[in-house]
Amino acid sequence: MSIVKLLRITLCGMVAEKRTVLDRLQHLGCLHLNPLRTGEPGSETASNRPEAAYRALRYLGDAPVKRLQVRKDPDFDMDKVVAEVEENRLALIAAQHRQEELEVHIRLQAPWGDFKPPKADEIGGYKLWYYLVPIYQIDRISKDLVYEIVQRDNRYAYVVVIGKQPPAAGQMPVPRSAVGHRSLSSLHHLLERNSQHIEELNFERHSLTRWIFLMSQHLARAEDQSALRHAADTSLEEDCLFVVQGWVAVPRLAAIQTFADQNHLALLTEEPTYEDRPPTLLSNPQALSGGEELVSFFQTPGYRDWDPSRVLFLSFALFFAMIMADAGYAMLLGVGLLAGWRRLGRSHGGRRLRHLVGATLGMAIGYGVLVGSYFGLTPAEGSLLSEMHRLDINDTDMMITIAVIIGVLHLMLANGLKAVYHWGHHSALVAVGWNIILLGGALLGSVKAEVLPVSLDAAGWSGMVIGALIVVFYGSSRPVHTLKDMLLRLLGGLYVFTNITKVFGDVLSYMRLFALGLASASLALTFNQLSNQVMEAMPGLGVLLGILILLLGHTLNLALAIMSGVVHGLRLNFIEFYNWGLSDEGYPFRAFEKKEIQHE
């Protein structure tokens, strides 16, 4: 759990060589630039993105089937291709909307039969008005109207009223139905033509996918040029000299020194001062780097704080496993992960994600084996899986105790790491005080639950009192010179101590691990029982219905388990854990580097 140490470096060279130096620096890709001045009015920023081009690239990337990529074409026109893709995208959206409208019209008009509604001048100025009247309301049709029931089913009568004006209010028991001016056969013809048009647009989209590589390359090049211009605009120039400043990781300092020597640049290296706010660069082993994705999803820790990536990686996997509480579900998801393993490995972020998901599902399988649940079924007595069944998820007292212990340990870990990384500051001692309170509370709870002997009751109360005194005394950093200062410091400490309700509330929040896990297991068992009952009650057809209940029920339960595992697994980390473990918010290290795709 380390945040990489950074140094501030300043490079100075000749203005005539600035563009070349910046281009080489971008190719080196290890410096987080600090703007030394604001850019010129109207100048581009490093975040400028050609949104139309990116939208076109996403559209082609989402195509289900792609052509062999063109990797070199001297006549490639980026703007022309983007325009063609955008035209195809808009046309396809319009055609799909048209398809939906035609299907609705056909569905509404089908019960009336295939006929072409006459125009008013074809029947002496009379018009046809269409009504879908419930059978029990036919008697409420006014006798003054001229109408015909052209069709009826077990619920409705399809009534056509003939008149120069629509029926007055109260003459018909229901509002008029929408029937278009086209016949049913003409609507089917339009639907067929529109389907062919959609097919042609999809063929055209498929053809355009051959440009994905070159589009990506040109977009990356455009972003590189934009970032280069931004770096040039925000560097400092004085007479014939230019100055560039930024942050570099200590392990890359040698590369910067070599770069400065090769390009005849003056180099100044400085340690960050207390007033500086360097960016945060996280560094973790590849197998655990998925935790960095979780960290960046919510909040980047400050440079002087600590890296929670590995804790989040492991605790999220554990929480997800306890909420899913079924080895069968986890194995099923594992099959899906294996199917997409190679595809996820194509990008750096994908490789991080697959390690996180793999560890999470591995822990979910292990926990599911411990609670003995496989799609809601328990292993047979005497089997190997039965021997591995060590936890009874229906034992409320035991499972609540486990959830609370996990909560206490998780919050103690947060406070402990905070104390270690901030030792010497009053907040570190406050974190120690909260840990003593948590430990004392855990002892008291265990004694009351008769898990630990009564002799530890005094130790629990002593821990609560000692921890409270530490929190109150060190809760404020106000220096004490007079009696008034002492009173104000104690009042500040008492204010911090009011979080005693929060710390115990946060511990109890971990009970959701048991509650959601029990709900998932109970739903799986319920669907299994319901399926068996249907199969027994209805031989033959009941088998089909039972299988359908199993498929739909377990699909729904799996979806709920995934959603609950992700949402609540993240919540316990981002709300409860972050609140006690991290005190500063930072911003990520973003290297000034080239993004251009190189030919393979």
Side-chain angles (χ1 to χ4, degrees):
M1 294 174 290
S2 60
I3 293 177
V4 178
K5 183 180 178 181
L6 302 180
L7 295 173
R8 180 170 54 209
I9 64 115
T10 305
L11 295 169
C12 182
M14 304 299 293
V15 169
E17 300 174 354
K18 182 172 95 168
R19 187 76 179 189
T20 302
V21 169
L22 289 177
D23 183 69
R24 292 173 180 172
L25 189 62
Q26 188 180 29
H27 185 77
L28 185 63
C30 63
L31 192 66
H32 178 105
L33 290 180
N34 286 338
L36 296 178
R37 64 187 179 95
T38 57
E40 297 296 330
S43 66
E44 296 187 60
T45 67
S47 61
N48 275 0
R49 285 166 52 98
E51 292 301 332
Y54 273 97
R55 186 168 56 245
L57 186 59
R58 286 194 301 270
Y59 173 70
L60 294 182
D62 291 338
V65 181
K66 300 176 181 64
R67 287 188 57 184
L68 184 67
Q69 294 299 295
V70 177
R71 297 189 173 274
K72 186 178 292 186
D73 185 351
D75 298 325
F76 176 74
D77 188 335
M78 181 70 171
D79 293 336
K80 180 181 178 182
V81 172
V82 169
E84 290 178 357
V85 174
E86 186 70 2
E87 182 181 356
N88 177 271
R89 185 183 71 86
L90 295 176
L92 186 57
I93 291 174
Q96 289 171 340
H97 287 170
R98 178 63 172 160
Q99 190 85 350
E100 294 172 0
E101 292 173 357
L102 288 170
E103 289 172 351
V104 170
H105 285 312
I106 289 173
R107 186 170 63 252
L108 293 175
Q109 199 154 326
W112 300 94
D114 186 10
F115 69 98
K116 182 179 180 182
K119 297 179 181 179
D121 57 359
E122 294 177 343
I123 51 176
Y126 286 88
K127 296 181 180 179
L128 304 183
W129 314 96
Y130 306 88
Y131 293 86
L132 191 63
V133 182
I135 296 295
Y136 68 91
Q137 290 186 318
I138 290 179
D139 294 339
R140 294 178 57 188
I141 300 175
S142 174
K143 304 300 182 182
D144 298 331
L145 296 176
V146 178
Y147 67 90
E148 180 72 24
I149 298 176
V150 298
Q151 182 174 309
R152 69 171 68 200
D153 53 30
N154 59 343
R155 295 182 61 193
Y156 297 103
Y158 295 85
V159 179
V160 179
V161 178
I162 303 174
K164 291 185 176 182
Q165 298 295 331
Q171 288 188 301
M172 292 297 293
V174 294
R176 192 166 74 245
S177 298
V179 176
H181 63 280
R182 297 182 181 275
S183 66
L184 189 60
S185 58
S186 65
L187 288 174
H188 278 292
H189 178 65
L190 289 175
L191 183 67
E192 181 180 353
R193 289 181 57 188
N194 194 70
S195 299
Q196 292 171 349
H197 183 50
I198 290 176
E199 187 177 29
E200 291 169 357
L201 290 172
N202 280 320
F203 279 138
E204 182 182 347
R205 180 186 186 185
H206 174 249
S207 176
L208 289 168
T209 58
R210 70 188 187 276
W211 301 118
I212 289 178
F213 178 84
L214 288 180
M215 288 179 68
S216 301
Q217 188 179 51
H218 279 68
L219 282 171
R221 186 178 300 163
E223 281 204 0
D224 288 345
Q225 291 300 316
S226 176
L228 187 60
R229 284 190 291 270
H230 180 67
D233 288 343
T234 56
S235 61
L236 188 64
E237 291 186 15
E238 188 69 32
D239 296 330
C240 60
L241 298 177
F242 78 93
V243 179
V244 177
Q245 190 179 85
W247 299 101
V248 66
V250 170
R252 299 298 304 273
L253 180 59
I256 286 290
Q257 290 173 334
T258 302
F259 175 83
D261 292 339
Q262 292 175 344
N263 291 275
H264 310 292
L265 302 173
L267 172 65
L268 174 65
T269 305
E270 300 172 283
E271 293 279 350
T273 64
Y274 184 77
E275 291 77 18
D276 290 326
R277 288 190 70 248
T280 303
L281 177 60
L282 306 178
S283 177
N284 291 279
Q286 179 66 29
L288 298 175
S289 60
E292 294 180 18
E293 300 297 317
L294 297 178
V295 170
S296 60
F297 172 77
F298 183 68
Q299 175 183 310
T300 301
Y303 174 74
R304 294 177 179 84
D305 226 316
W306 56 280
D307 177 11
S309 302
R310 303 185 197 184
V311 176
L312 262 61
F313 184 97
L314 297 174
S315 58
F316 172 77
L318 174 62
F319 298 159
F320 185 93
M322 294 184 68
I323 292 172
M324 178 162 283
D326 192 284
Y329 288 162
M331 291 177 185
L332 184 62
L333 293 176
V335 172
L337 174 62
L338 290 176
W341 187 266
R342 292 185 62 183
R343 183 175 182 180
L344 287 172
R346 295 173 186 170
S347 65
H348 181 63
R351 289 190 291 272
R352 286 182 168 187
L353 179 62
R354 73 181 184 182
H355 282 106
L356 174 62
V357 175
T360 301
L361 295 181
M363 195 168 290
I365 292 173
Y367 183 80
V369 170
L370 287 177
V371 299
S373 180
Y374 304 83
F375 297 105
L377 301 174
T378 54
E381 290 291 335
S383 64
L384 176 61
L385 292 178
S386 177
E387 293 297 322
M388 300 169 71
H389 179 191
R390 297 297 181 181
L391 295 176
D392 182 4
I393 200 169
N394 294 305
D395 187 342
T396 303
D397 292 338
M398 179 186 70
M399 295 305 296
I400 288 179
T401 301
I402 291 174
V404 170
I405 289 175
I406 289 175
V408 170
L409 293 176
H410 201 223
L411 296 188
M412 287 186 68
L413 179 61
N415 281 302
L417 289 170
K418 182 176 182 178
V420 169
Y421 281 88
H422 294 276
W423 193 255
H425 191 267
H426 74 96
S427 61
L429 294 172
V430 173
V432 171
W434 285 121
N435 268 357
I436 297 175
I437 291 174
L438 282 166
L439 186 58
L443 286 175
L444 290 175
S446 299
V447 169
K448 187 175 181 180
E450 300 181 352
V451 176
L452 296 177
V454 180
S455 58
L456 293 176
D457 186 74
W461 282 112
S462 299
M464 295 281 287
V465 172
I466 293 172
L469 291 174
I470 293 175
V471 171
V472 170
F473 188 78
Y474 290 104
S476 172
S477 58
R478 185 185 185 93
V480 177
H481 300 295
T482 63
L483 180 60
K484 180 181 178 181
D485 292 336
M486 173 63 74
L487 291 175
L488 290 175
R489 175 163 180 158
L490 289 177
L491 286 175
L494 287 171
Y495 176 77
V496 173
F497 185 69
T498 58
N499 284 325
I500 186 71
T501 57
K502 180 175 178 58
V503 71
F504 286 112
D506 286 348
V507 168
L508 295 179
S509 183
Y510 286 78
M511 290 173 60
R512 72 186 65 226
L513 297 174
F514 155 69
L516 292 169
L518 179 61
S520 177
S522 299
L523 272 177
L525 181 61
T526 299
F527 286 124
N528 290 340
Q529 293 174 343
L530 182 61
S531 175
N532 287 332
Q533 292 172 0
V534 170
M535 289 182 181
E536 293 174 359
M538 302 173 61
L541 180 61
V543 175
L544 179 61
L545 293 176
I547 293 174
L548 187 62
I549 290 172
L550 283 177
L551 290 175
L552 294 178
H554 283 292
T555 299
L556 173 63
N557 194 32
L558 177 59
L560 292 174
I562 294 173
M563 183 172 64
S564 299
V566 172
V567 171
H568 294 282
L570 292 177
R571 179 242 154 85
L572 290 173
N573 281 293
F574 292 152
I575 306 300
E576 279 76 9
F577 183 81
Y578 260 53
N579 180 66
W580 295 99
L582 293 168
S583 56
D584 187 23
E585 181 176 359
Y587 61 101
F589 182 98
R590 300 197 184 281
F592 175 57
E593 60 183 350
K594 286 187 178 293
K595 300 179 181 179
E596 182 176 348
I597 301 172
Q598 302 299 321
H599 290 283
E600 297 177 357

